[in-house]
């Protein structure tokens, strides 16, 4: 388990991958769980699509936007629902 911080919100993530694009921009991909109770706050954060990304374990920090996003469930408003989210962020130029 790793920690990724997006705009001061901490996420416990799995499958963390760091790469760079052909133009040497940082790219980060990771997966995380979202519970029913936090669905609204997290999707509101993601819709902003402007992030300060911090990965404390890697001493990494950069501004980014979403390049890919997916979720295993579309109705997290149901009580006790949990979704698997996958997020890829690319550094802003």
């Amino acid at each position: 388990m790793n920690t990724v911080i997006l705009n001061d919100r901490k996420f416990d993530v799995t499958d963390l991958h760091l790469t760079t694009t052909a133009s040497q921009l940082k790219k980060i991909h990771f997966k995380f769980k979202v519970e029913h109770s936090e669905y609204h706050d997290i999707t509101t954060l993601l819709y902003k699509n402007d992030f300060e990304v911090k990965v404390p374990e890697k001493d990494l920090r950069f501004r980014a936007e979403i390049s890919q996003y997916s979720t295993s469930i579309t109705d997290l408003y149901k009580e006790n629902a949990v979704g698997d989210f996958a997020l890829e962020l690319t550094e802003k130029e």
Side-chain angles (χ1 to χ4, degrees):
M1 190 76 64
N2 290 288
T3 299
V4 172
I5 302 168
L6 301 179
N7 296 358
D8 298 320
R9 179 162 186 131
K10 180 181 169 185
F11 292 85
D12 293 323
V13 306
T14 59
D15 298 327
L16 177 68
H17 299 282
L18 302 167
T19 59
T20 56
T21 65
S23 56
Q24 299 303 306
L25 297 174
K26 295 175 190 72
K27 188 177 276 198
I28 185 170
H29 180 273
F30 54 90
K31 296 178 181 178
F32 58 100
K33 301 256 185 223
V34 176
E35 297 179 7
H36 156 79
S37 61
E38 52 187 5
Y39 175 67
H40 177 76
D41 291 342
I42 290 176
T43 54
T44 299
L45 171 68
L46 295 178
Y47 286 132
K48 291 179 182 176
N49 200 20
D50 181 29
F51 308 102
E52 179 180 4
V53 179
K54 298 177 196 170
V55 185
E57 293 93 348
K58 307 286 185 188
D59 195 30
L60 186 62
R61 177 186 219 154
F62 60 97
R63 301 289 310 170
E65 59 190 2
I66 296 172
S67 43
Q68 287 188 359
Y69 162 81
S70 66
T71 181
S72 65
I73 189 169
T74 57
D75 189 4
L76 273 169
Y77 285 109
K78 292 181 180 177
E79 192 72 31
N80 298 319
V82 177
D84 295 312
F85 279 50
L87 189 60
E88 181 182 86
L89 303 170
T90 302
E91 182 177 21
K92 289 184 171 187
E93 293 189 57

